[in-house]
Amino acid sequence: MSTLDCPTCKKKAMSNWDKLNLSPLATKKCANCGACLSVPFYTALIPIIPIMALMLIILSKGLSGSFINQAFPIFGLAIVFILLNFVPLKSKK
């Protein structure tokens, strides 16, 4: 089962872009069955992990500004990858 599949009807519920726009408080209807879908609460904490890791690297090594400018897009892509591939959809009642 893909992370884009509806937990109710087991068919593709939405596009990648629609899933990235979800939050624990925002819902979107399944394209097939119309069930209200959301993501679990812990997804609000996922973007904090790479940001905190980058801050620890900066504080521990005193890295130059050029590394920081290159690291932010990489950490941003990591966040998108995690949200799209590892966060399941859940049905809200």
Side-chain angles (χ1 to χ4, degrees), residues 6-37:
C6 175
T8 306
C9 68
K10 309 293 188 234
K11 295 180 182 173
K12 186 175 178 182
M14 63 186 66
S15 67
N16 288 330
W17 182 252
D18 289 334
K19 185 175 179 186
L20 285 175
N21 288 321
L22 286 179
S23 74
L25 301 175
T27 62
K28 175 144 177 74
K29 290 192 177 195
C30 172
N32 294 304
C33 69
C36 287
L37 302 173

Side-chain angles (χ1 to χ4, degrees), residues 2-92:
S2 165
T3 58
L4 294 173
D5 290 347
C6 175
T8 306
C9 68
K10 309 293 188 234
K11 295 180 182 173
K12 186 175 178 182
M14 63 186 66
S15 67
N16 288 330
W17 182 252
D18 289 334
K19 185 175 179 186
L20 285 175
N21 288 321
L22 286 179
S23 74
L25 301 175
T27 62
K28 175 144 177 74
K29 290 192 177 195
C30 172
N32 294 304
C33 69
C36 287
L37 302 173
S38 184
V39 290
F41 176 73
Y42 67 84
T43 59
L45 303 175
I46 289 175
I48 295 172
I49 296 168
I51 293 169
M52 292 301 290
L54 182 60
M55 288 177 64
L56 286 173
I57 291 170
I58 292 169
L59 293 174
S60 67
K61 303 228 181 212
L63 298 173
S64 66
S66 64
F67 174 78
I68 296 168
N69 291 338
Q70 295 169 0
F72 275 119
I74 294 169
F75 279 99
L77 288 173
I79 292 168
V80 169
F81 178 78
I82 290 168
L83 289 175
L84 285 178
N85 294 305
F86 297 109
V87 175
L89 291 174
K90 72 175 192 172
S91 178
K92 279 199 164 185

